[in-house]
Amino acid sequence: MAHEHTHVLHVESHFASGNLVRDIVIGMSDGLTVPFALAAGLTGAVSMTKIIVLAGLAEIAAGSIAMGLGGYLAAKGDAQHYDSEREREEREIVERVHDEEQEIYDIFSTYGVSQDESTPVLNALKRNPTAWVDFMMRFELGLEEPEPQRARNSAATIAVSYIVGGFIPLAPYMAMSDVYLALKWSVVITIIALGIFGYIKGRVAGISATRSAMQTTLTGGLAAAAAFGLARLFSVK
């Protein structure tokens, strides 16, 4: 009687933050904090919400462009670094075969695999130079191939996240004419937003969500308080 074997597909579900989430975190962190601090600081120096709104919008525009450009250049730099390292590895598996073979043994030895046990794997990799280079890029250098259009996507994500974050503390100044009433509402909604954002950031990063929420809120609050205090101190009435 034939035995039927049922193969159950085992899928491991690991939540990785990934590049997209990292870019959102970068953009939102500064987007919530910097315009908040700017608006609070100007509240201590001027009495018209219109001026604060205009200054805030200018800062959001400049900040989103600067942050997006920074993300673009960083991603471009990562891609160029990956390409240059891959070219070097492609040369070395031809010009320095013995050294590369020893590096394979060294990599496996860190996992407790002996040279005799890893030799069949090395021979298989040597028959497929592309796979050999892929293996060295990942396990020797710890580099992953960048996603296509990574630089463009990173710039757009960071910039949009910065704009979204920036409008949160600025919204009360757009809706109210009393600068101090607008400041109070800005503080309330920004602290709530910082707390929620910090909590989500903690969950994504796999650390204490509550602690992340407290740290994010404290950082934004201190920045705004410092800006407000300095503006009050140096303003001429």
Side-chain angles (χ1 to χ4, degrees):
M1 179 179 177
H3 294 280
E4 293 184 0
H5 297 279
T6 303
H7 297 281
V8 179
L9 181 63
H10 173 64
V11 179
E12 294 187 13
S13 55
H14 298 283
F15 184 82
S17 59
N19 291 326
L20 176 64
V21 175
R22 186 187 71 176
D23 290 340
I24 292 174
V25 167
I26 291 172
M28 284 289 291
S29 293
D30 281 8
L32 279 168
T33 305
V34 178
F36 180 38
L38 173 67
L42 288 175
T43 301
V46 301
S47 59
M48 294 179 61
T49 55
K50 181 179 180 181
I51 296 176
I52 296 174
V53 169
L54 290 175
L57 292 174
E59 197 288 322
I60 290 173
S64 62
I65 293 171
M67 292 289 292
L69 180 59
Y72 180 87
L73 294 176
K76 272 292 187 183
D78 290 342
Q80 291 170 353
H81 176 62
Y82 180 89
D83 290 341
S84 66
E85 288 296 326
R86 187 173 185 89
E87 289 175 4
R88 183 177 64 82
E89 285 296 331
E90 289 171 348
R91 290 195 305 270
E92 288 184 350
I93 66 171
V94 175
E95 300 171 0
R96 299 174 53 187
V97 178
H98 179 72
D99 292 339
E100 292 297 298
E101 290 175 347
Q102 186 58 49
E103 287 175 357
I104 292 284
Y105 291 133
D106 292 341
I107 290 170
F108 277 109
S109 69
T110 62
Y111 295 95
V113 181
S114 69
Q115 183 167 322
D116 288 340
E117 293 169 327
S118 57
T119 296
V121 179
L122 171 60
N123 291 333
L125 289 173
K126 289 174 69 175
R127 290 193 296 269
N128 187 345
T130 300
W132 190 357
V133 173
D134 289 340
F135 184 90
M136 299 304 289
M137 291 297 292
R138 182 169 184 179
F139 291 99
E140 181 195 10
L141 302 176
L143 297 176
E144 297 283 352
E145 184 176 5
E147 301 171 5
Q149 306 299 325
R150 164 71 184 138
R152 184 194 64 188
N153 294 341
S154 177
T157 302
I158 292 174
V160 171
S161 299
Y162 189 96
I163 292 170
V164 172
F167 270 100
I168 292 174
L170 203 60
Y173 292 92
M174 295 177 171
M176 302 174 185
S177 58
D178 186 322
V179 290
Y180 287 100
L181 181 60
L183 174 63
K184 291 176 183 178
W185 278 104
S186 180
V187 169
V188 171
I189 66 172
T190 304
I191 286 177
I192 293 173
L194 284 167
I196 294 172
F197 172 70
Y199 184 87
I200 295 173
K201 183 173 68 171
R203 291 292 298 270
V204 167
I207 61 177
S208 171
T210 302
R211 183 177 180 180
S212 176
M214 293 176 63
Q215 289 177 336
T216 305
T217 304
L218 181 62
T219 300
L222 287 175
F228 179 79
L230 288 172
R232 290 285 290 178
L233 180 65
F234 293 107
S235 62
V236 179
K237 299 263 184 170

